[in-house]
Amino acid sequence: MNLSSIAIAAFLSSLSSATADTVLGERSTSEDRGIAALKLRGAQEKTAAGSGIEKGRQLKKKQKDACGPETENSCVATTNVRSPSTLVSCLNGTSSFMDTPVTIIEYPDGTDNEFHVNKEVYKLTFPQVDFDDFLEANFNAGIGGPRFPAGIFYAEGQEEVIMAVNCARDAGYKVSPRGRGHSYQGLGSMDGYLVIDLSLMCVPDNFTNTTQNDDHPWLLGGEQKVIGTIKSGSGCTNAVMLAYTAEHFPDDGIYLIGSCPSVGITGYATGGGQGDTTPWVGLGIDDVLSYDIVLYDGTNVTASEKEHSDLYWALRGGGSGFGVITSLTTAVVNTPKPLELEPSSSSSSRFTYVICPYKQTQNEAKKFLERFQDFLVPNLPFDSKKYKDKIRNSSARFGGVGSYSTGGIYLGFIGIFLGSKDEAISTFEKAGLRDPDIFKESESVELEFSSYADVQLFSICNAMSQSNSFWQLWTSATFNVCEDLGIDPDEYCNQKLFGGFGATVHLPNCDPNQASFNLEDVKNVILPAIKAAAIKPQSWFNRPGQQRFAQLSLLEQSYPGGLVFGRLEPDVLLDLANVGVDIFHFAHGAPTVVARDETGYSNREEFTLISFGGAGVNEMEKYEEVASILINKAYGGDSTKLRGFYNYVNPVGTTGGDWRTYYFGDNYERLSEIKAEYDVTNGFGNPVQVEPALSKKAKSGK
Ligand SMILES: Cc1cc2nc3c(=O)[nH]c(=O)nc-3n(C[C@H](O)[C@H](O)[C@H](O)COP(=O)(O)OP(=O)(O)OC[C@H]3O[C@@H](n4cnc5c(N)ncnc54)[C@H](O)[C@@H]3O)c2cc1C
């Protein structure tokens, strides 16, 4: 397995090569397919496209289901959709929002690339008024589609949000806030609800930020500091926040983001949120200091430790559905101090991108798995001082993704180390993770960067640039990504064949495995160009590409999802590795030292999140096989101990606020009370399911 494959894997998330082919019309090579099977990083996407007929059938069904509330009883005969006349007249008012275009995807000015065509939608659309306009606005990157909301409104300010919530409530509609539309279950676009899209409320010029130097209340007992705060609109993306952090905290300020540039931040700020720096800065929810939120009664409140503290507790991990968050204030966290090395580190870099591959033979694999587990989560009480001391200078500095697989698929991890290359090597050596008996040093990589933004952006660019489809899936890039970025394609891009279309794609060369790779070009040209695209909230870089159509082209089913687990016996780990599982984010370290009841998030002790991609039979079988190993060999036959986050047997809409809130564990009762207090069921109403659904066979652990 070469570096290229590893890094592609790190970003392929759960997209199977077969489904990518279908969606993109691409004919990938068998190598690509092998690579795609790795599916290591990011979020799970299912992209199996339905046929045109199936799509039509799904839409019809949705139209039927989308008949409005009981108060709106005049179904339009042709489509069987109730006319939301009260809602339309209330929302449209005197402003003619239905005639007001808004730009949601922007390309660079002044190029002659024929694909650089900005995309506009109307600020307010209803299927009964203009079906095509509605479809244009009804994108959703989630896998729970197709979704068929009652109407879609692009809000551009808090007053508009309040107006829209009041209109929806008075007309008897529930509200579905939509950030950037990446909910796996399509929960930003619930059937029959009014979608309030927040993406235009991301305006970096209106953000405010502070600098300070406070202890962080949640994490490693004060080792981490809050060195600043950013108050941003809620409809921003990972990429916007990263670029903004780079501008305002250029050296060592960390703002947690995940894997995909176009994913919305409010999902992180409410559902959990895991990224490469989670072990140091916590989950996304750990870093939110306050939320401004419009409740279903139309009032706007601030939820923080001091105000509406119950709501604040619930919002941090209890999922969405409490109201429409219009802005949030988030902590920017420091980078750890350098380790004291003997001899001292030869560089002052605080950020190293690492790739660590391991031998896959059974004995070596078992040794690796055991040591890596000890490195991630020491075998000590998770809230003890010893535990904190141990991880503070070791695994809390490393975060990323990986794969436990002995079956020909990559075994190892990839991610960001918060320290120099020497510090990274020394830390992994101490943990026995560079032992030549198990470690494939010749295939390892350590690249130093001078800022958090650069290493994080490199991680994104590296992954996307090695696949010939992921720039086009996760951003609205054209086939010539270098032109999109305004840099010379001949100098800074690799060319790849995009088979199905017979086209060539130009992808920025962020792949250290390519002969043409040049780290200085990456740092001086490619990353600055990406940052410039990232800071513009509606730029092509901040909007998903093919993915945004997924909702309307997918069958109504989802996929096996994933499972999280805590410490396991080495033999059990090896059994899992023999099935082959992908690790999304190593949510170890700091999140595990936060007590379970500190926030609405309930799975602190579980530190490993494994994933299964696609919707094919193989993945379901794999899911059941892994579930069965866990139940049988780790949980003494008790299937309720299994933590699953999404499940293909659940019909769409039967799971929680987002995938991470699929189960609420011990916090469920308190969350339910708070939900009742804030009228969540009537107002937003994402239902909740608390136990993973499994086949009887898997449940019995046989
Ligand atoms: C390609 C991809 C990669 C991903 N990578 C990661 C990752 O690395 N780490 C990780 O932790 N997660 C990851 N995810 C999951 C992602 O963080 C969640 O799905 C997140 O909720 C997406 O937010 P969104 O705004 O894009 O989605 P949306 O579908 O718009 O919203 C998600 C949920 O949040 C609610 N919501 C959105 N905005 C608001 C608001 N302003 N007020 C109230 N509720 C709101 C919606 O109603 C919905 O229930 C990934 C998802 C995808 C598709």
Side-chain angles (χ1 to χ4, degrees):
M1 176 75 43
N2 59 26
L3 168 66
S4 153
S5 312
I6 295 162
I8 292 171
F11 217 65
L12 276 179
S13 107
S14 302
L15 188 70
S16 75
S17 57
T19 54
D21 285 355
T22 320
V23 169
L24 300 168
E26 179 186 353
R27 297 285 171 270
S28 52
T29 63
S30 57
E31 190 200 11
D32 282 344
R33 286 171 201 283
I35 290 163
L38 295 174
K39 306 166 245 163
L40 281 182
R41 166 174 266 186
Q44 306 220 7
E45 303 164 69
K46 173 189 157 264
T47 52
S51 67
I53 296 169
E54 185 54 37
K55 180 177 154 183
R57 198 180 297 141
Q58 291 293 325
L59 276 177
K60 275 224 165 79
K61 181 176 177 307
K62 284 296 170 190
Q63 286 175 332
K64 224 173 165 181
D65 294 348
C67 270
E70 292 310 312
T71 50
E72 300 275 352
N73 56 8
S74 53
C75 273
V76 175
T78 48
T79 60
N80 200 28
V81 176
R82 284 181 195 175
S83 164
S85 51
T86 321
L87 184 60
V88 173
S89 54
C90 180
L91 278 171
N92 205 28
T94 53
S95 307
S96 299
F97 287 144
M98 286 198 288
D99 301 322
T100 309
V102 287
T103 304
I104 59 163
I105 304 178
E106 284 173 7
Y107 289 96
D109 290 335
T111 72
D112 51 13
N113 186 330
E114 58 187 304
F115 296 106
H116 284 173
V117 182
N118 291 351
K119 183 179 172 70
E120 287 184 344
V121 295
Y122 288 103
K123 199 166 153 70
L124 179 63
T125 50
F126 290 92
Q128 301 87 343
V129 177
D130 190 313
F131 195 62
D132 290 338
D133 286 348
F134 170 79
L135 288 188
E136 287 288 306
N138 189 28
F139 73 82
N140 186 308
I143 55 169
R147 287 294 194 195
F148 207 88
I152 299 167
F153 178 60
Y154 279 81
E156 288 178 272
Q158 197 183 65
E159 288 310 310
E160 286 189 0
V161 171
I162 292 172
M163 181 274 291
V165 167
N166 285 337
C167 283
R169 188 196 56 243
D170 293 349
Y173 283 82
K174 291 185 178 185
V175 170
S176 197
R178 185 173 75 187
R180 292 286 174 154
H182 284 69
S183 157
Y184 301 111
Q185 298 137 297
L187 294 176
S189 308
M190 295 289 279
D191 297 338
Y193 289 25
L194 173 70
V195 168
I196 302 181
D197 184 289
L198 283 307
S199 60
L200 299 177
M201 289 183 53
C202 177
V203 184
D205 285 348
N206 295 344
F207 294 1
T208 51
N209 61 81
T210 64
T211 50
Q212 54 204 72
N213 194 13
D214 296 338
D215 284 351
H216 197 296
W218 301 111
L219 304 177
L220 292 174
E223 180 78 5
Q224 287 98 336
K225 302 277 178 198
V226 177
I227 57 168
T229 64
I230 299 175
K231 182 169 183 177
S232 64
S234 69
C236 290
T237 62
N238 279 334
V240 170
M241 298 317 297
L242 187 60
Y244 187 85
T245 308
E247 269 180 26
H248 296 271
F249 301 90
D251 301 324
D252 68 345
I254 301 177
Y255 183 106
L256 180 107
I257 65 157
S259 318
C260 169
S262 57
V263 162
I265 54 158
T266 315
Y268 290 97
T270 52
Q274 298 170 356
D276 289 342
T277 54
T278 281
W280 181 251
V281 306
L283 295 170
I285 51 165
D286 295 327
D287 295 327
V288 182
L289 304 174
S290 72
Y291 304 83
D292 289 325
I293 181 167
V294 175
L295 304 175
Y296 196 50
D297 65 6
T299 56
N300 175 46
V301 301
T302 299
S304 69
E305 249 190 343
K306 294 196 178 123
E307 299 168 81
H308 295 276
S309 54
D310 56 345
L311 184 57
Y312 177 61
W313 177 90
L315 281 168
R316 284 173 306 141
S320 50
F322 292 90
V324 184
I325 297 164
T326 51
S327 64
L328 43 142
T329 304
T330 309
V332 177
V333 180
N334 65 339
T335 306
K337 341 187 249 276
L339 289 171
E340 288 170 12
L341 296 187
E342 277 302 330
S344 62
S345 177
S346 57
S347 109
S348 59
S349 168
R350 310 300 320 128
F351 308 93
T352 305
Y353 187 72
V354 295
I355 296 179
C356 298
Y358 292 86
K359 294 178 187 165
Q360 286 160 279
T361 35
Q362 296 288 290
N363 275 346
E364 286 73 12
K366 192 169 157 185
K367 265 192 211 163
F368 161 69
L369 294 168
E370 201 174 354
R371 288 179 198 177
F372 193 48
Q373 177 172 251
D374 281 344
F375 172 68
L376 293 179
V377 178
N379 194 10
L380 294 164
F382 83 91
D383 51 358
S384 66
K385 182 170 179 309
K386 267 192 177 166
Y387 178 98
K388 291 178 193 175
D389 288 344
K390 180 142 194 213
I391 64 168
R392 186 173 290 140
N393 287 327
S394 58
S395 69
R397 291 168 186 257
F398 168 75
V401 297
S403 167
Y404 284 178
S405 183
T406 55
I409 303 176
Y410 171 71
L411 176 72
F413 55 88
I414 177 170
I416 294 174
F417 185 88
L418 297 174
S420 67
K421 174 177 171 175
D422 291 346
E423 289 171 58
I425 290 175
S426 153
T427 301
F428 293 134
E429 262 170 4
K430 274 190 193 150
L433 292 169
R434 286 183 73 94
D435 174 352
D437 284 351
I438 60 169
F439 185 52
K440 297 203 240 174
E441 189 171 355
S442 61
E443 293 173 25
S444 71
V445 169
E446 300 89 21
L447 301 172
E448 291 187 324
F449 291 86
S450 59
S451 75
Y452 160 65
D454 277 8
V455 74
Q456 185 73 73
L457 270 185
F458 178 74
S459 167
I460 290 173
C461 183
N462 170 276
M464 291 205 295
S465 294
Q466 296 174 62
S467 154
N468 49 7
S469 60
F470 278 83
W471 275 92
Q472 279 73 32
L473 263 178
W474 290 6
T475 74
S476 285
T478 69
F479 286 160
N480 194 330
V481 180
C482 275
E483 258 186 34
D484 301 340
L485 290 168
I487 57 179
D488 185 348
D490 296 329
E491 193 130 351
Y492 304 112
C493 265
N494 287 318
Q495 293 186 16
K496 297 199 175 189
L497 260 192
F498 205 93
F501 293 113
T504 303
V505 282
H506 295 73
L507 307 173
N509 190 358
C510 291
D511 174 4
N513 202 42
Q514 298 279 335
S516 53
F517 178 78
N518 180 326
L519 188 57
E520 291 313 303
D521 283 351
V522 168
K523 290 179 181 174
N524 297 329
V525 181
I526 298 176
L527 297 185
I530 296 180
K531 265 181 254 174
I535 194 69
K536 296 180 191 144
Q538 316 318 334
S539 78
W540 59 272
F541 189 67
N542 283 300
R543 293 286 188 179
Q546 294 294 330
Q547 202 183 169
R548 73 176 175 272
F549 301 116
Q551 169 223 357
L552 294 173
S553 59
L554 300 183
L555 305 180
E556 182 163 0
Q557 64 173 25
S558 75
Y559 68 110
L563 298 165
V564 283
F565 54 83
R567 279 191 69 86
L568 295 174
E569 292 299 320
D571 281 337
V572 180
L573 282 174
L574 189 60
D575 282 350
L576 296 184
N578 288 338
V579 177
V581 294
D582 309 328
I583 309 298
F584 269 8
H585 290 283
F586 296 112
H588 58 287
T592 50
V593 303
V594 177
R596 182 177 267 245
D597 59 359
E598 293 279 11
T599 68
Y601 189 82
S602 60
N603 308 292
R604 298 280 180 175
E605 291 90 337
E606 281 79 24
F607 63 91
T608 303
L609 168 60
I610 61 179
S611 65
F612 310 91
V617 173
N618 289 346
E619 286 82 5
M620 192 59 202
E621 278 175 0
K622 204 177 182 188
Y623 173 79
E624 297 256 312
E625 209 176 329
V626 168
S628 173
I629 290 172
L630 288 170
I631 295 169
N632 217 15
K633 300 197 172 168
Y635 304 145
D638 182 354
S639 67
T640 63
K641 292 197 172 147
L642 198 66
R643 304 285 185 184
F645 71 87
Y646 197 50
N647 217 293
Y648 114 121
V649 286
N650 290 329
V652 167
T654 59
T655 47
D658 203 352
W659 59 270
R660 286 166 300 242
T661 57
Y662 173 56
Y663 45 88
F664 287 127
D666 297 346
N667 292 336
Y668 182 64
E669 267 175 36
R670 187 169 168 199
L671 275 168
S672 303
E673 280 164 23
I674 298 172
K675 286 198 170 199
E677 191 185 333
Y678 287 93
D679 205 10
V680 165
T681 310
N682 288 329
F684 302 91
N686 291 343
V688 166
Q689 184 154 337
V690 285
E691 231 194 274
L694 280 175
S695 72
K696 275 189 190 154
K697 192 174 150 215
K699 267 196 170 168
S700 69
K702 299 283 164 1

